[in-house]
Amino acid sequence: MKSDSSKFDISRRNILKYGGGFIGTGLLAAAMGVETLTPSPVVAQNDMTPDQALAKLMDGNKRFATMKSKNPNQNLVRLQELAKGQKPFAAVLSCADSRVPVEIIFDQGLGDIFVCRDAGNIAIKEEVGSLEFGTLVLGAKILLVIGHESCGAVIATMKGGEVPGSIGTILAQIEPAITEFMGKQDDEMAVRKAVEANVLHQIEVLKRSPIISDLVAQNKLKVVGAYYDLDTGEISLVG
């Protein structure tokens, strides 16, 4: 008997073989056991362009940074509306840092953003696969990669040297992006530039995905970098 995980065993080669026709239908969603739901006005809609989705995120961040948050979609009623399905308009890869709560800094709520978080916002294969799911199957129109001020993972990589446990596997994913900044962890501007360089590197890793690159080529998705300022709460675009 096949395990449930076999439903997700769809090779990238087959994705490329079927191309846009595969992406433009509910075939993959059905193959992965995801129901195609009739759109509901109360569920976050992704029937918008990538530019509109990005604008929605940035408008929300502006409200947050100016202390005018509306705190939408953050109650039990909303959760119950989403119980049968989700249609997030955005996907985000961000650092796991506790000071970067994605829905809060974009003034969004339940069902609005498909979020992957890990230290250093690195695009390891599990994160790439998750974001392929969030964009292709769930239909997110913008994929934002967020680095942030004083990122501990980036600073640790800049310092170099031995680290305990499995932390080194994280730093190894950051180091190729920031070689020119190694040893400059005491320079505030160098740290920011290293954080931004890491964001751009992780975007390039994500774009190696045939699924994500195909969505971008069809103008169904934008992949954008961002920097989060811990002092102001503001998001600025990178690249």
Side-chain angles (χ1 to χ4, degrees):
M1 181 176 179
K2 293 183 178 180
S3 68
D4 289 341
S5 62
S6 65
K7 295 179 181 179
F8 295 85
D9 188 21
I10 299 174
S11 73
R12 294 185 176 186
R13 181 177 299 175
N14 286 335
I15 293 294
L16 288 174
K17 177 181 177 182
Y18 288 106
F22 198 1
I23 290 177
T25 70
L27 177 58
L28 181 59
M32 299 179 77
V34 179
E35 295 183 12
T36 53
L37 301 173
T38 302
S40 166
V42 296
V43 176
Q45 295 302 290
N46 46 27
D47 57 348
M48 62 180 71
T49 68
D51 286 337
Q52 288 171 332
L54 177 59
K56 186 172 181 177
L57 285 179
M58 298 304 288
D59 287 346
N61 176 250
K62 183 177 180 180
R63 293 194 301 271
F64 170 74
T66 56
M67 301 183 70
K68 296 178 181 179
S69 294
K70 297 179 180 179
N71 304 310
N73 304 327
Q74 296 181 17
N75 55 34
L76 183 59
V77 172
R78 172 66 168 182
L79 182 61
Q80 292 169 343
E81 291 167 350
L82 293 165
K84 293 183 179 180
Q86 56 175 320
K87 291 180 178 290
F89 72 90
V92 167
L93 173 59
S94 77
C95 186
D97 192 294
S98 62
R99 298 165 293 181
V100 193
V102 174
E103 286 86 355
I104 294 176
I105 65 175
F106 287 110
D107 194 26
Q108 303 298 325
L110 297 166
D112 293 328
I113 308 177
F114 184 85
V115 182
C116 290
R117 297 176 66 184
D118 58 28
N121 44 274
I122 54 175
I124 56 176
K125 63 180 182 179
E126 291 82 4
E127 303 288 32
V128 174
S130 296
L131 292 164
E132 289 173 340
F133 183 85
T135 54
L136 176 61
V137 179
L138 299 182
K141 294 300 187 293
I142 186 74
L143 171 49
L144 204 64
V145 180
I146 306 175
H148 68 91
E149 179 185 355
S150 302
C151 178
V154 171
I155 292 172
T157 305
M158 295 170 76
K159 288 180 179 178
E162 295 295 322
V163 291
S166 297
I167 297 174
T169 63
I170 298 170
L171 309 191
Q173 302 298 318
I174 299 173
E175 186 172 353
I178 65 165
T179 53
E180 65 180 293
F181 303 108
M182 296 296 287
K184 300 179 180 179
Q185 64 275 4
D186 296 325
D187 182 333
E188 185 176 331
M189 184 54 64
V191 172
R192 171 159 185 163
K193 289 181 178 179
V195 168
E196 292 179 345
N198 181 50
V199 165
L200 295 176
H201 175 69
Q202 304 308 328
I203 287 176
E204 289 306 309
V205 175
L206 286 168
K207 286 184 175 180
R208 294 173 196 164
S209 158
I211 292 174
I212 291 173
S213 62
D214 195 19
L215 288 169
V216 171
Q218 295 184 65
N219 296 316
K220 295 182 177 180
L221 176 71
K222 272 193 173 182
V223 185
V224 178
Y227 179 87
Y228 176 56
D229 189 310
L230 296 178
D231 298 302
T232 66
E234 293 180 353
I235 289 283
S236 55
L237 300 184
V238 174

